[in-house]
Amino acid sequence: MTYRIVGSWPGGFQGEVQIAPNLAISAWSVSWSFANAQRINQLWSGSHSQNGAACSG
């Protein structure tokens, strides 16, 4: 799994998570914690849950 910020603006950013780019995967999940009180406001191609800094999707 890799994560990178692909765009940013005052008060927000867009991140990209890439899971096994060379494999065909029909179902997967990932969990992480934000370090600086970030919140997910919109997510493309998936669903997520967030409790404080802890996220999963």
Side-chain angles (χ1 to χ4, degrees), residues 3-50:
Y3 168 78
R4 69 184 182 121
I5 295 175
V6 295
S8 63
W9 52 91
F13 67 94
Q14 178 182 350
E16 176 183 84
V17 176
Q18 191 172 56
I19 309 293
N22 298 322
L23 299 175
I25 300 174
S26 61
W28 57 272
S29 66
V30 63
S31 299
W32 71 95
S33 291
F34 283 121
N36 297 307
Q38 293 97 335
R39 300 281 313 161
I40 297 174
N41 292 323
Q42 188 174 20
L43 183 74
W44 292 278
S45 300
S47 61
H48 80 286
S49 63
Q50 184 169 359

